C-alpha cells in the first residue's frame, strides 16, 4: 500500500499488485484481515485479501527491477506443489498456507461464498 500512490486503499493496492505481479485481474477483491508480521518486533503489517472472478490480462512478473516468476497451479494441487518446491530446497513463506486456507474460508471459519 502506498507504492507511489498516496490515496491507496488496501483493495486498490491488492488489485494493482495482483495484475503487476501475476497478470491476473480480479472482478472482486475482499480484504479479510490485517495485522503485524511479527508482533512486538516490527511495525510491518500484512493484509490478506481474497480475489474472485479472475481473468488473465497479462504475463505478470512485476515492474521495474522486480523479477517474479509466475506459476499457474490449480488450487487443488497447490499444497502438494508447494511441498515439492520445499523438498527441492526452496524456502516457503508460511503465510502461504494461511492464504490458501482463506481462499475457501473466512477468518471466522465459515465457508467463503
Amino acid at each position: 500500500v502506498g507504492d507511489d500512490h498516496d490515496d491507496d486503499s488496501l483493495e486498490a493496492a491488492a488489485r494493482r499488485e495482483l495484475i503487476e505481479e501475476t497478470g491476473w485481474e480480479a472482478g472482486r477483491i475482499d480484504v479479510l484481515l490485517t495485522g503485524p508480521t511479527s508482533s512486538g518486533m516490527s511495525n510491518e503489517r500484512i493484509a490478506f485479501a481474497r480475489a474472485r472472478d479472475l481473468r488473465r490480462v497479462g504475463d505478470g512478473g512485476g515492474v521495474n527491477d522486480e523479477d517474479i516468476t509466475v506459476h499457474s497451479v490449480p488450487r487443488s494441487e497447490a499444497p502438494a506443489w508447494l511441498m515439492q518446491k520445499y523438498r527441492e530446497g526452496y524456502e516457503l513463506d508460511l503465510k502461504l498456507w494461511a492464504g490458501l486456507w482463506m481462499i475457501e474460508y473466512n477468518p471466522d471459519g465459515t465457508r467463503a461464498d
Side-chain angles (χ1 to χ4, degrees):
V1 175
D3 294 344
D4 299 322
H5 302 273
D6 293 334
D7 59 347
D8 232 359
S9 67
L10 288 172
E11 181 181 337
R15 189 172 298 283
R16 181 186 67 252
E17 293 295 326
L18 182 65
I19 293 170
E20 288 177 5
E21 295 182 4
T22 70
W24 290 87
E25 181 178 62
R28 179 175 131 204
I29 298 269
D30 298 314
V31 176
L32 303 175
L33 281 177
T34 61
T37 58
S38 181
S39 299
M41 299 295 292
S42 167
N43 64 356
E44 181 183 57
R45 296 177 56 80
I46 187 173
F48 281 93
R50 183 187 302 126
R52 296 281 198 218
D53 307 322
L54 300 174
R55 70 181 186 93
R56 188 81 170 182
V57 296
D59 294 331
V63 295
N64 301 326
D65 63 346
E66 294 176 323
D67 185 20
I68 299 169
T69 301
V70 178
H71 301 275
S72 184
V73 179
R75 165 64 187 99
S76 62
E77 298 172 22
W81 185 86
L82 287 168
M83 290 309 299
Q84 179 59 43
K85 292 297 177 187
Y86 180 74
R87 286 189 293 278
E88 291 171 10
Y90 288 90
E91 292 284 334
L92 301 179
D93 187 329
L94 296 178
K95 294 182 291 289
L96 289 166
W97 274 262
L100 286 172
W101 186 81
M102 283 194 259
I103 292 171
E104 297 179 24
Y105 294 93
N106 295 311
D108 67 2
T110 58
R111 295 285 288 176
D113 58 358

